[in-house]
Amino acid sequence: MNVQIAPSILSADFAALGEAIARVERAGADLIHVDVMDGHFVPNITIGPPVVKALKRVATKPLDVHLMISDPDRYIEAFAAAGAAMLSVHVEVLPHLHRTVQAIKALGVKAGVVLNPSTPVVALEEIAGDVDFVLVMSVNPGFGGQTFIARSESKVAAVRELLDRSGNAAAPIEIDGGIDLQTAPRVVAAGARILVAGNAIFGTADPERATRDLRAAASAALPAGSAAR
Ligand code: DX5
Ligand code: ZN
């Protein structure tokens, strides 16, 4: 499995999101990561389905929509209709996670489940065989530009082991928070294959170069035998 780079537009200029997406797509970004926050589950408010719909008009890469909201069941249809190709929901807010994952898949969207830094891997034990991907938060969600939590490396390895044991070896692990040229190789070595990066890409003067550099650093850490790109 190759590494996929998913620039997070949270750190881009919100007055010029179309241009931000075009720049990272030119640099070979695989996905566009969109952070949806509701001011309840996390202490920040960002964007909703109308903006996702507008991004869908300009993006050529799939939209990877991360729902940091208290009641995702209420909105998954709207985000699917807006053009999300991947939807991830936090296990911390969902008492009926199995139902939610099936509902996302029924809409033709890839279903991901997200673990906050303090949420144990065992919370995925009964759902690991059903998900299309797992997103491991390596910072507490809500803001870009935070420091990577080092314990996330062993957590990624534990999630990988659980997915494999659940017969879901094809499901990739995405990681989000504090990913940069230093942390990218470490999380890839631990088993992450989709790398979200906001500040490390859009916080630089040259997001295209930052996207390419991040891919190079991440790909160099792939275990021998993985397909190069
Ligand atoms: C944080 C968001 C992240 C954020 C990552 O709550 O889920 O996607 O954009 O930003 P960086 O890469 O700056 O830590
Ligand atoms: Zn995110």
Side-chain angles (χ1 to χ4, degrees):
M1 208 183 291
N2 283 319
V3 175
Q4 295 196 296
I5 304 295
S8 165
I9 57 167
L10 184 64
S11 292
D13 176 1
F14 269 36
L17 289 177
E19 175 55 21
I21 289 173
R23 289 175 88 167
V24 293
E25 287 185 344
R26 276 199 297 273
D30 300 282
L31 304 167
I32 303 299
H33 186 83
V34 182
D35 289 302
V36 175
M37 306 186 188
D38 66 352
H40 292 275
F41 179 57
V42 290
N44 196 2
I45 302 177
T46 55
I47 66 176
V51 177
V52 172
K53 191 175 175 187
L55 299 176
K56 174 68 183 161
R57 287 205 324 265
V58 297
T60 63
K61 298 294 179 180
L63 298 179
D64 166 34
V65 179
H66 175 194
L67 298 181
M68 286 161 277
I69 60 179
S70 294
D71 192 1
D73 288 324
R74 204 171 144 190
Y75 297 100
I76 55 178
E77 253 186 83
F79 282 106
M86 300 162 66
L87 271 175
S88 54
V89 294
H90 275 258
V91 305
E92 297 85 8
V93 297
L94 287 163
H96 309 294
L97 185 57
H98 182 271
R99 180 189 293 154
T100 305
V101 164
Q102 301 309 326
I104 294 171
K105 288 177 154 185
L107 292 165
V109 175
K110 285 191 178 165
V113 293
V114 195
L115 295 177
N116 270 339
S118 68
T119 304
V121 175
V122 70
L124 298 182
E125 188 80 31
E126 302 298 330
I127 198 76
D130 295 304
V131 299
D132 291 312
F133 64 102
V134 172
L135 171 48
V136 173
M137 288 307 301
S138 40
V139 298
N140 289 293
F143 302 95
Q146 301 182 77
T147 302
F148 179 81
I149 297 171
R151 198 178 147 63
S152 313
E153 285 171 70
S154 58
K155 195 169 189 180
V156 166
V159 171
R160 185 67 269 157
E161 197 271 327
L162 171 60
L163 286 166
D164 292 350
R165 179 157 51 82
S166 306
N168 204 355
I173 299 173
E174 180 172 23
I175 190 154
D176 184 2
I179 299 302
D180 58 21
L181 293 175
Q182 281 69 48
T183 54
R186 288 160 50 188
V187 298
V188 169
R193 291 295 178 270
I194 304 174
L195 272 52
V196 177
N199 192 53
I201 290 178
F202 292 111
T204 71
D206 189 345
E208 292 180 50
R209 182 178 176 173
T211 302
R212 289 195 191 93
D213 289 351
L214 194 62
R215 178 189 302 288
S219 299
L222 278 170
S226 295
R229 155 170 193 152

PDB file of all heavy atoms in Angstrom, residues 1-3 222-223 225-229:
ATOM      1  N   MET A   1       0.841  -1.195   0.000  1.00  0.00           N
ATOM      2  CA  MET A   1       0.000   0.000   0.000  1.00  0.00           C
ATOM      3  C   MET A   1       0.883   1.256   0.000  1.00  0.00           C
ATOM      4  O   MET A   1       1.728   1.416   0.857  1.00  0.00           O
ATOM      5  CB  MET A   1      -0.869  -0.010   1.263  1.00  0.00           C
ATOM      6  CG  MET A   1      -2.182   0.716   1.126  1.00  0.00           C
ATOM      7  SD  MET A   1      -3.104   0.719   2.701  1.00  0.00           S
ATOM      8  CE  MET A   1      -3.557  -1.000   2.889  1.00  0.00           C
ATOM      9  N   ASN A   2       0.683   2.124  -0.999  1.00  0.00           N
ATOM     10  CA  ASN A   2       1.440   3.378  -1.046  1.00  0.00           C
ATOM     11  C   ASN A   2       0.988   4.342   0.032  1.00  0.00           C
ATOM     12  O   ASN A   2      -0.080   4.184   0.597  1.00  0.00           O
ATOM     13  CB  ASN A   2       1.228   4.062  -2.399  1.00  0.00           C
ATOM     14  CG  ASN A   2       2.042   3.397  -3.488  1.00  0.00           C
ATOM     15  OD1 ASN A   2       3.183   3.043  -3.259  1.00  0.00           O
ATOM     16  ND2 ASN A   2       1.449   3.241  -4.661  1.00  0.00           N
ATOM     17  N   VAL A   3       1.778   5.368   0.244  1.00  0.00           N
ATOM     18  CA  VAL A   3       1.362   6.442   1.147  1.00  0.00           C
ATOM     19  C   VAL A   3       0.498   7.423   0.358  1.00  0.00           C
ATOM     20  O   VAL A   3       0.811   7.759  -0.782  1.00  0.00           O
ATOM     21  CB  VAL A   3       2.591   7.189   1.699  1.00  0.00           C
ATOM     22  CG1 VAL A   3       2.159   8.376   2.537  1.00  0.00           C
ATOM     23  CG2 VAL A   3       3.453   6.245   2.524  1.00  0.00           C
ATOM     24  N   LEU A 222       8.516   3.649   3.916  1.00  0.00           N
ATOM     25  CA  LEU A 222       7.740   2.438   3.627  1.00  0.00           C
ATOM     26  C   LEU A 222       8.630   1.217   3.784  1.00  0.00           C
ATOM     27  O   LEU A 222       9.799   1.237   3.395  1.00  0.00           O
ATOM     28  CB  LEU A 222       7.207   2.478   2.185  1.00  0.00           C
ATOM     29  CG  LEU A 222       5.932   3.282   1.941  1.00  0.00           C
ATOM     30  CD1 LEU A 222       5.694   3.421   0.444  1.00  0.00           C
ATOM     31  CD2 LEU A 222       4.731   2.664   2.622  1.00  0.00           C
ATOM     32  N   PRO A 223       8.101   0.134   4.349  1.00  0.00           N
ATOM     33  CA  PRO A 223       8.917  -1.063   4.490  1.00  0.00           C
ATOM     34  C   PRO A 223       9.328  -1.621   3.138  1.00  0.00           C
ATOM     35  O   PRO A 223       8.603  -1.437   2.149  1.00  0.00           O
ATOM     36  CB  PRO A 223       8.007  -2.035   5.248  1.00  0.00           C
ATOM     37  CG  PRO A 223       6.653  -1.458   5.229  1.00  0.00           C
ATOM     38  CD  PRO A 223       6.766  -0.005   4.901  1.00  0.00           C
ATOM     39  N   GLY A 225       9.637  -3.763  -0.006  1.00  0.00           N
ATOM     40  CA  GLY A 225       8.621  -4.640  -0.580  1.00  0.00           C
ATOM     41  C   GLY A 225       7.326  -3.898  -0.875  1.00  0.00           C
ATOM     42  O   GLY A 225       6.529  -4.337  -1.682  1.00  0.00           O
ATOM     43  N   SER A 226       7.097  -2.729  -0.219  1.00  0.00           N
ATOM     44  CA  SER A 226       5.918  -1.938  -0.545  1.00  0.00           C
ATOM     45  C   SER A 226       6.148  -1.273  -1.890  1.00  0.00           C
ATOM     46  O   SER A 226       7.268  -0.896  -2.214  1.00  0.00           O
ATOM     47  CB  SER A 226       5.671  -0.855   0.506  1.00  0.00           C
ATOM     48  OG  SER A 226       5.356  -1.422   1.731  1.00  0.00           O
ATOM     49  N   ALA A 227       5.084  -1.103  -2.649  1.00  0.00           N
ATOM     50  CA  ALA A 227       5.216  -0.485  -3.957  1.00  0.00           C
ATOM     51  C   ALA A 227       5.712   0.940  -3.812  1.00  0.00           C
ATOM     52  O   ALA A 227       5.210   1.697  -2.988  1.00  0.00           O
ATOM     53  CB  ALA A 227       3.870  -0.501  -4.661  1.00  0.00           C
ATOM     54  N   ALA A 228       6.707   1.302  -4.586  1.00  0.00           N
ATOM     55  CA  ALA A 228       7.194   2.690  -4.577  1.00  0.00           C
ATOM     56  C   ALA A 228       6.309   3.533  -5.459  1.00  0.00           C
ATOM     57  O   ALA A 228       5.505   3.013  -6.216  1.00  0.00           O
ATOM     58  CB  ALA A 228       8.642   2.728  -5.063  1.00  0.00           C
ATOM     59  N   ARG A 229       6.462   4.814  -5.341  1.00  0.00           N
ATOM     60  CA  ARG A 229       5.607   5.669  -6.175  1.00  0.00           C
ATOM     61  C   ARG A 229       6.400   6.857  -6.667  1.00  0.00           C
ATOM     62  O   ARG A 229       7.284   7.328  -6.011  1.00  0.00           O
ATOM     63  CB  ARG A 229       4.409   6.074  -5.348  1.00  0.00           C
ATOM     64  CG  ARG A 229       3.775   7.336  -5.762  1.00  0.00           C
ATOM     65  CD  ARG A 229       2.490   7.533  -5.053  1.00  0.00           C
ATOM     66  NE  ARG A 229       1.828   8.616  -5.764  1.00  0.00           N
ATOM     67  CZ  ARG A 229       0.535   8.774  -5.838  1.00  0.00           C
ATOM     68  NH1 ARG A 229      -0.262   7.926  -5.288  1.00  0.00           N
ATOM     69  NH2 ARG A 229       0.018   9.788  -6.483  1.00  0.00           N
TER      70      ARG A 229
END
